[in-house]
Amino acid sequence: MKKYYVTTPIYYVNDIPHIGHSCTTLVADVLARYHRQLGEEVFFLTGTDEHGQKVAEEAEKAGVAPIEFCDKITPRFKKAWEELNISFDYFIRTTDDRHKKIVQELLQKIYDQGDIYKDKYEGLYCVGCEKFLTESDLVNEKCPLHPAEKTIKQSEENWFFKLSKYVPRLIDLIENEKTNYIFPKGKRSEVLAKLKAGVRDTSISRANVEWGIPVPWDKTQTVYVWVDALINYYSATRFLKNKKDFWPADLHILGKEILWFHTVIWQAMLLSVGISLPEKTYIHSFYIIDGQKMSKSLGNVISPGRLVEKFGVDGARYLVTSSFPTENDADIGISRFVEKYNADLANNLGNLVSRLAKLAEKNKVEIEKSKSVFYPEVKKALEDSDTGRALSFIWTEKLNRLNAKLNKEKPWTLSPEKAKPVLKECIEKLLEAVFNIKPFMPETAEKIKKVFEGKIKTTKVLFPKIEN
Ligand code: MSP
C-alpha cells in the first residue's frame, strides 16, 4: 500500500492557537484526508514545541515551572484541533522523554563524525524567533517579525554544526536531483540564492538556557530549541513502532518565516547522519487581518473557536482552506468571511442541495451509488497544496454550472417523466462534487450523501444565512 506522511510545524506553547496556525494544520488535514480517500496509508503528525528561552520566559511570567506551563497550554492546541475536526494521527510534544532520547542520539552521531565543534558566538538574538539575527535581517534596528520586542546582544561559547560543509551538496540536490523538494518555485530560488551567497556554520546549543535537552557530551549546554524541534518529524517515526516505514516524510508544510530552518538546516543535519531527506517542503505565505499584521497587541487575532462558533466546523474549514495564503499573503477578515460563507455555502451549495432534495423527493427520483473519483484539476491543485485553487475549481466549474443548469431547465415546471432524468443527472453530478469536497468538509459531505443515497429525504438547512 502506498504511504503518505504529512507534518505541520510544531507550535510554540507561548501562544494559544490562532487562525495562522489553523490554516497550516487545516491544509495538512485536507491533504491527509485526500490521501486516505485515495486508499493510501497516512500518517499525519502535529504537536507542540515546548523548550527554549521563549517558553521559559512565559512560564516565569506566569509564575509556574516550564513543564507545568506546557502541560497547561498543550491541551488548548489539542482542543482547537478537535474543534476543527483535524484528523491527526499523533500529537508530539518535545518534552516527551522518547523524543528527547532520539534528539540526543542523533546529535551524538553528528558529533561523532566530526561535524560539530566549539566556538564563540556573538550576535543579536530575537527571543520571539528563537534565533540569532544578522544586521541585514533588521528593520529600524528591530526584528521585522517582532518589532515590539528587543533584540538581545548575546555572546557565548556554543557548539556549532558544520552547515557550510553541506552547502555545495544542498545546491546540487535542489538544482539537479530533488528539483521538487522546495515548493512553490519562488521559494526554491530564494533558498538557492541565499545558499550561493555563502552560508556560515550554525550554533546548535545554548549555554544560558536551562529549559532544553542537555547536550549529550556537554551537560553545561542545552540543545538549541530549533534543532530539538526539527527532529520531531523523524523522532515520531522512531519511537512509534508502527510508524517506522513512514520516514522520509512526504510533505512538511509550514509558513515562510521558518523556511531556512526546514529547507537548509534540517536537511544538512540529515545529510550529516545519512538519513533520507523529506520528499517535499511546501512553504506558504501569511494571513493578514484587514490589512494589518495579526498580533496580540493589535487585538485582531482570530481564534479557531470563534470561527467554529460563527460558521460551524465545516464553514470554518471551508473559509480557511479557500483563503489559504500560497505564494502571496492573504488579507482576510470576519466580514469578508461572512460574505463568502453566504455566497458559497448558504446560497450556492446549501441552496443547491435543498432545491434538488425537494424536487427529487416530489418526483420520486432514486439514485444508486455515486461515483467516487477526484477531478484531475482537484488532484493537481492538491498536489500543489493549493486548497484554494481546488475549491475554486469545484465551485466555479461544477456547482455554479449545476445551479445554472437547474435554472435553465427548470425541472419544477416539467412533468415527472421529463423532470426525472434532469434531476437524476444533476444529483449524480452533485454527488461527484461532494466526493471532491469531502476532504475539506467531511461532515457536510456525509450529510449530503445521506440525503440522496437510497430513498431521498429532505434535510434541514445545511448552512443557515449569517447577518454581517
Ligand atoms: N515552533 C516553531 C516551529 C517548529 S517546527 C519544527 C514555530 N512555531 S509557531 O508557533 O510560531 O508557528 C509558526 C507557524 O504558524 C508558521 O510556520 C505558520 O505555519 C503558522 N502561522 C503563524 N502565523 C501565521 C499567519 N499570520 N498566517 C499564516 N500562518 C501563520 O515557528
Side-chain angles (χ1 to χ4, degrees):
M1 200 192 264
K2 212 173 157 217
K3 67 100 188 160
Y4 183 74
Y5 176 24
V6 59
T7 69
T8 73
I10 48 171
Y11 303 106
Y12 285 129
V13 288
N14 72 307
D15 208 352
I16 51 173
H18 57 62
I19 191 170
H21 310 121
S22 308
C23 81
T24 319
T25 308
L26 260 168
V27 169
D29 184 61
V30 167
L31 296 174
R33 289 176 182 273
Y34 163 73
H35 282 272
R36 289 191 197 108
Q37 267 178 250
L38 287 176
E40 296 171 19
E41 204 177 326
V42 170
F43 179 36
F44 171 15
L45 181 72
T46 189
T48 40
D49 190 353
E50 306 189 3
H51 291 124
Q53 193 168 340
K54 174 151 83 173
V55 171
E57 282 176 11
E58 283 298 316
E60 202 180 329
K61 267 192 231 157
V64 294
I67 190 63
E68 273 177 61
F69 183 77
C70 298
D71 287 347
K72 200 180 104 209
I73 304 291
T74 295
R76 300 212 197 164
F77 277 92
K78 285 193 181 157
K79 182 167 167 264
W81 303 152
E82 269 153 33
E83 279 176 344
L84 283 171
N85 197 6
I86 303 296
S87 63
F88 61 82
D89 295 295
Y90 192 73
F91 190 102
I92 190 169
R93 298 182 54 180
T94 50
T95 46
D96 187 318
D97 285 338
R98 297 167 301 173
H99 165 77
K100 292 195 227 168
K101 185 165 167 264
I102 288 157
V103 169
Q104 290 188 321
E105 284 169 5
L106 208 118
L107 272 192
Q108 184 72 49
K109 265 194 197 160
I110 304 180
Y111 180 72
D112 288 346
Q113 72 141 37
D115 277 346
I116 292 178
Y117 61 94
K118 202 164 203 182
D119 203 356
K120 196 170 159 99
Y121 196 88
E122 214 178 70
L124 293 170
Y125 195 80
C126 171
V127 179
C129 292
E130 287 281 18
K131 71 172 184 187
F132 283 102
L133 303 177
T134 58
E135 291 294 331
S136 64
D137 291 328
L138 304 180
V139 176
N140 300 327
E141 292 172 20
K142 303 244 152 128
C143 164
L145 287 178
H146 302 95
E149 291 173 37
K150 273 200 210 123
T151 48
I152 305 164
K153 202 168 198 128
Q154 286 188 348
S155 154
E156 46 180 60
E157 283 235 298
N158 289 155
W159 292 99
F160 276 71
F161 169 56
K162 290 186 184 163
L163 179 61
S164 55
K165 173 176 160 189
Y166 293 96
V167 167
R169 179 78 187 114
L170 283 173
I171 293 176
D172 185 46
L173 276 166
I174 301 173
E175 284 187 328
N176 304 314
E177 280 174 51
K178 293 195 76 140
T179 49
N180 278 338
Y181 112 63
I182 305 177
F183 250 86
K185 288 267 183 280
K187 295 291 184 245
R188 179 174 170 253
S189 327
E190 199 180 306
V191 171
L192 269 177
K194 256 182 103 173
L195 283 172
K196 288 180 180 173
V199 174
R200 285 170 43 188
D201 291 345
T202 185
S203 154
I204 53 136
S205 73
R206 303 298 314 278
N208 298 309
V209 179
E210 273 173 45
W211 182 233
I213 303 175
V215 170
W217 61 90
D218 175 2
K219 297 283 152 53
T220 68
Q221 302 241 344
T222 56
V223 177
Y224 174 39
V225 61
W226 262 103
V227 170
D228 163 0
L230 288 164
I231 297 173
N232 94 87
Y233 301 130
Y234 175 71
S235 74
T237 67
R238 300 299 106 177
F239 68 72
L240 300 171
K241 294 294 171 235
N242 61 345
K243 301 296 182 218
K244 274 223 151 50
D245 297 338
F246 281 94
W247 189 263
D250 292 272
L251 181 69
H252 289 327
I253 179 160
L254 42 122
K256 62 182 177 182
E257 85 289 19
I258 55 179
L259 155 82
W260 187 254
F261 286 110
H262 282 83
T263 56
V264 176
I265 298 177
W266 176 222
Q267 318 274 332
M269 283 166 57
L270 292 169
L271 284 175
S272 165
V273 283
I275 296 174
S276 352
L277 303 189
E279 291 299 329
K280 190 165 165 181
T281 304
Y282 183 85
I283 294 104
H284 65 78
S285 299
F286 264 28
Y287 271 147
I288 298 172
I289 313 278
D290 296 315
Q292 281 182 307
K293 227 191 112 178
M294 188 173 19
S295 88
K296 272 193 256 181
S297 51
L298 286 172
N300 61 355
V301 176
I302 300 176
S303 76
R306 172 148 172 242
L307 282 183
V308 171
E309 212 181 302
K310 198 162 174 78
F311 301 106
V313 183
D314 280 357
R317 290 176 62 99
Y318 176 80
L319 293 168
V320 171
T321 52
S322 63
S323 60
F324 181 54
T326 53
E327 263 153 286
N328 298 306
D329 288 348
D331 197 0
I332 55 161
I334 293 288
S335 69
R336 257 166 302 163
F337 274 170
V338 172
E339 272 167 37
K340 191 155 175 69
Y341 169 97
N342 284 335
D344 294 0
L345 299 181
N347 293 341
N348 193 333
L349 177 62
N351 237 338
L352 181 63
V353 169
S354 62
R355 279 210 289 178
L356 279 173
K358 259 184 225 137
L359 289 165
E361 193 180 42
K362 191 171 139 213
N363 290 287
K364 302 205 165 48
V365 178
E366 286 207 23
I367 303 290
E368 292 94 60
K369 229 183 137 36
S370 54
K371 250 211 235 154
S372 311
V373 282
F374 283 105
Y375 305 125
E377 292 82 353
V378 167
K379 278 191 133 162
K380 181 72 189 71
L382 291 184
E383 270 156 31
D384 295 344
S385 310
D386 195 341
T387 49
R389 195 170 91 221
L391 287 172
S392 130
F393 173 82
I394 301 171
W395 257 255
T396 51
E397 297 300 319
K398 302 292 170 181
L399 301 183
N400 281 354
R401 291 202 180 169
L402 271 176
N403 269 310
K405 184 178 163 76
L406 271 186
N407 292 345
K408 186 167 151 246
E409 305 209 10
K410 300 187 175 52
W412 53 92
T413 63
L414 304 176
S415 66
E417 299 77 68
K418 288 203 171 138
K420 251 187 190 169
V422 178
L423 291 169
K424 211 169 158 187
E425 190 193 330
C426 287
I427 294 170
E428 277 164 2
K429 287 204 167 129
L430 171 69
L431 290 176
E432 214 183 324
V434 164
F435 181 82
N436 284 263
I437 292 171
K438 196 171 168 190
F440 302 87
M441 297 197 278
E443 288 176 355
T444 302
E446 280 310 311
K447 278 188 207 158
I448 298 176
K449 265 176 69 185
K450 280 215 180 94
V451 170
F452 293 105
E453 278 180 358
K455 194 147 178 63
I456 293 173
K457 48 235 158 275
T458 45
T459 165
K460 70 173 205 256
V461 177
L462 283 177
F463 298 102
K465 267 204 158 169
I466 296 177
E467 297 272 323
N468 205 341

